Amino acid sequence: MNTRNAYFDNAKFVLIFLVVFGHMISPYRTDSSGMLSIYHFIFIFHMPVFILLAGYFSKNFHKKGYYKKIFTKVALPYLAFQTIYTLYYSVLYTDETYTLQYLVPRWAMWFLLSLIFWKLMLPFFAKFPMWISLTISISLGLAMGFIDIDGFDKILSISRMFVFFPFFLLGYYLSQRQEPFTNLLTARNRIIASIVLLVTLIGSYSFLDDTAYTDMLYGTNTYDNVVEFLMRVSHYGIAFLVSFAFMALIPTRGFALTSIGQRSLYVYLLHGFILKWFFTTDFSKSLEPTSWGIIVLIALSILVTMLLGSRIVDWFITGTKLIVQFVTPKKAIQKFSLAFKRTFS
């Protein structure tokens, strides 16, 4: 594994662990201000960086097969897992009724649905200089907070889609520069980055100790006053800063868990099955946000990340893909991909 790939895979490994850990502590976040602060600290930057990296690796939109890849590698998995999660919820939560809705993503599936639209919007926005595209995308993200309509964010997860789109765009523009993250990886910048993250953590504990800030970090809040609008503006600035600080601390050499970063999407798609079941157990309900409870949640998050990012899961999914490719007519996929391209290009 070369240094460049190890660097990005290391980043993805840490990020997917933070995704799992953030979701793992979610039911307990309101039980203590400390837990809520940790939760908010993670959500300040973990999805922005994940989305930035998704944009960084979406630079080949001008090549043949771009729309086919969106359909086969993003749209089809979204449809499949949206269906599976709906059925899973129906079995797991027997006291509730779940209807299959493809325009209202289940839980973490908002990312896949948004990724489809980010990739579709990219060819248009990439026609303009970076400062124009980022200004427009940030303006659209800020504008989402003025739309106060019941259920608006649920349809296509549209608020999150536009709030986080600037990070995707920035990732793409960074990919047009030669080794854009290299300058971050100096001893001086690593020290500065450590200070930035520490200050952000302290700031989360001091200022983001209320559940009212959660929707803002999700990208789903609407503004009740000017202060909340300014908070969204501030969040953009802080999230961009902390994202680069995070990337400055990522090691460039591979280690035992680096390869899990290559399979981070598997962890993202599958961890909901384990966590949602875990939250229904008596053991989960008995946990409290004490030092011991946090250690247990960290250990479980590491275990889930390593299990779902293992080669065994990779082999299983690869085998499933081969079976699907074998039983699915190639012409059908080509027709759907062509219709997909004509619709959105």
Side-chain angles (χ1 to χ4, degrees):
M1 179 181 294
N2 61 48
T3 299
R4 177 178 175 277
N5 289 338
Y7 173 70
F8 290 114
D9 289 337
N10 287 338
K12 290 178 182 178
F13 165 69
V14 177
L15 289 168
I16 197 58
F17 164 74
L18 290 176
V19 168
V20 175
F21 181 58
H23 287 156
M24 183 71 78
I25 67 175
S26 180
Y28 311 98
R29 68 182 188 271
T30 58
D31 294 340
S32 76
S33 58
M35 186 74 83
L36 185 62
S37 299
I38 293 173
Y39 184 80
H40 284 161
F41 170 70
I42 293 172
F43 272 78
I44 285 173
F45 68 92
H46 81 316
M47 285 313 297
V49 182
F50 226 134
I51 293 164
L52 184 147
L53 292 179
Y56 185 86
F57 291 104
S58 297
K59 52 193 172 187
N60 296 323
F61 61 84
H62 56 283
K63 292 186 177 180
K64 184 179 179 181
Y66 177 73
Y67 292 96
K68 180 180 179 180
K69 286 184 177 179
I70 296 176
F71 179 75
T72 57
K73 294 188 175 183
V74 189
L76 282 182
Y78 169 73
L79 294 173
F81 278 91
Q82 177 75 352
T83 302
I84 295 170
Y85 266 110
T86 301
L87 296 175
Y88 182 67
Y89 283 12
S90 298
V91 173
L92 191 64
Y93 307 115
T94 55
D95 57 337
E96 298 184 41
T97 302
Y98 292 90
T99 57
L100 187 56
Q101 303 179 64
Y102 291 111
L103 298 183
V104 181
R106 295 280 178 209
W107 201 41
M109 292 303 102
W110 74 267
F111 172 74
L112 273 188
L113 183 59
S114 295
L115 185 59
I116 296 170
F117 288 95
W118 292 333
K119 285 179 173 289
L120 292 174
M121 291 189 288
L122 180 59
F124 172 76
F125 278 84
K127 295 177 182 178
F128 305 100
M130 181 175 71
W131 70 271
I132 293 178
S133 291
L134 285 179
T135 299
I136 294 174
S137 64
I138 290 174
S139 298
L140 289 171
L142 293 173
M144 290 298 104
F146 290 106
I147 304 176
D148 189 6
I149 302 174
D150 284 344
F152 172 75
D153 177 63
K154 293 181 179 180
I155 302 297
L156 300 178
S157 197
I158 195 166
S159 180
R160 279 179 164 179
M161 183 197 306
F162 281 107
V163 167
F164 289 106
F165 184 48
F167 299 98
F168 185 86
L169 265 185
L170 178 60
Y172 161 74
Y173 282 109
L174 288 176
S175 72
Q176 305 306 296
R177 302 185 179 187
Q178 188 172 4
E179 301 297 336
F181 296 101
T182 302
N183 292 334
L184 295 174
L185 307 177
T186 65
R188 176 176 175 272
N189 285 340
R190 289 181 188 273
I191 293 173
I192 295 173
S194 299
I195 294 172
V196 169
L197 284 170
L198 179 60
V199 170
T200 304
L201 178 59
I202 295 172
S204 297
Y205 185 79
S206 301
F207 303 107
L208 301 182
D209 58 349
D210 192 295
T211 55
Y213 300 112
T214 304
D215 286 344
M216 181 191 72
L217 297 176
Y218 286 168
T220 58
N221 68 307
T222 54
Y223 312 132
D224 290 328
N225 49 58
V226 176
V227 173
E228 292 185 358
F229 169 77
L230 294 177
M231 286 179 60
R232 172 68 62 78
V233 175
S234 300
H235 176 236
Y236 269 126
I238 294 170
F240 280 123
L241 176 63
V242 178
S243 294
F244 283 106
F246 170 83
M247 293 301 293
L249 296 176
I250 297 300
T252 57
R253 294 185 179 182
F255 62 105
L257 301 177
T258 298
S259 62
I260 292 179
Q262 300 173 9
R263 299 182 282 273
S264 58
L265 184 60
Y266 297 164
V267 182
Y268 189 89
L269 292 174
L270 299 173
H271 77 284
F273 294 110
I274 297 177
L275 266 60
K276 289 295 186 180
W277 164 80
F278 174 69
F279 295 148
T280 66
T281 64
D282 292 335
F283 177 72
S284 169
K285 295 174 183 177
S286 68
L287 281 176
E288 297 181 359
T290 60
S291 298
W292 167 247
I294 293 176
I295 291 173
V296 170
L297 293 173
I298 291 174
L300 289 174
S301 299
I302 294 173
L303 181 62
V304 170
T305 303
M306 292 179 64
L307 173 65
L308 298 181
S310 66
R311 293 188 183 278
I312 296 175
V313 172
D314 185 28
W315 292 336
F316 176 78
I317 292 180
T318 300
T320 304
K321 287 180 181 178
L322 291 174
I323 293 173
V324 171
Q325 289 175 1
F326 179 77
V327 301
T328 304
K330 187 175 181 180
K331 288 185 177 180
I333 293 179
Q334 291 175 340
K335 287 181 179 180
F336 277 117
S337 299
L338 182 60
F340 193 74
K341 178 179 179 180
R342 287 174 176 173
T343 302
F344 294 103
S345 63

